[in-house]
Amino acid sequence: SNSLVKLDEACFFTILRTMAVARDPKMAHTAQIFLTEMLNYHQKQGRANLQPTTRCLDACIRSFLNCHQIKQAAELLQLICDWSNMEDLDYFPSRATFVNVSKACRESGDPELEAIAISLAKVAMERFKN
């Protein structure tokens, strides 16, 4: 078609990045919905150009960190790790995202988040061996 808007990874990334800088919990939750839709387009409709990339995954997680929704950021990171183990995903969040989420969890003072930080550190060590 001759549409001016091309629904592809770059389009979704632009939206996710914008939501990340909004520093708004509602926008963060919307970003997670967008990321899930992206994954659905990729898996259920075979749209290879809509597979969530590292920069999309990072932007979505950052949307929660930027509005101090640390638990949601950590849970989303854990969910993405589960997706990558079970699903057809070629991309993974960056090492920097693991560092930032783990640091926020440790600094929160919440024992549950501190335990998540330890779990994420183990995943990161395994994933980023070199």
Side-chain angles (χ1 to χ4, degrees):
S1 76
N2 292 331
S3 174
L4 293 175
V5 177
K6 184 176 180 185
L7 188 59
D8 61 6
E9 182 274 344
C11 177
F12 271 90
F13 170 66
T14 301
I15 294 166
L16 292 169
R17 183 182 59 202
T18 301
M19 291 177 177
V21 299
R23 300 180 187 279
D24 177 350
K26 289 180 185 176
M27 293 297 264
H29 289 283
T30 302
Q32 186 170 358
I33 292 167
F34 269 69
L35 185 68
T36 303
E37 282 300 307
M38 219 179 153
L39 187 63
N40 286 335
Y41 279 125
H42 169 63
Q43 292 178 328
K44 295 186 172 116
Q45 295 183 15
R47 304 268 309 265
N49 65 332
L50 287 175
Q51 180 171 188
T53 59
T54 297
R55 67 185 189 162
C56 290
L57 300 171
D58 286 354
C60 191
I61 294 165
R62 197 168 44 253
S63 69
F64 284 107
L65 283 179
N66 286 347
C67 61
H68 308 290
Q69 302 289 306
I70 298 164
K71 183 174 183 179
Q72 290 85 344
E75 288 173 348
L76 178 58
L77 183 52
Q78 288 181 312
L79 178 64
I80 292 168
C81 292
D82 291 343
W83 286 348
S84 71
N85 291 333
M86 299 181 304
E87 309 290 347
D88 172 32
L89 277 182
D90 296 334
Y91 298 95
F92 202 71
S94 68
R95 181 188 306 247
T97 292
F98 273 89
V99 168
N100 292 336
V101 172
S102 294
K103 181 179 179 197
C105 286
R106 283 191 313 275
E107 291 176 351
S108 72
D110 180 332
E112 180 185 356
L113 292 178
E114 290 173 5
I116 290 173
I118 293 167
S119 171
L120 291 174
K122 289 177 184 175
V123 172
M125 283 178 49
E126 180 64 30
R127 182 70 186 195
F128 305 108
K129 286 180 183 175
N130 36 2

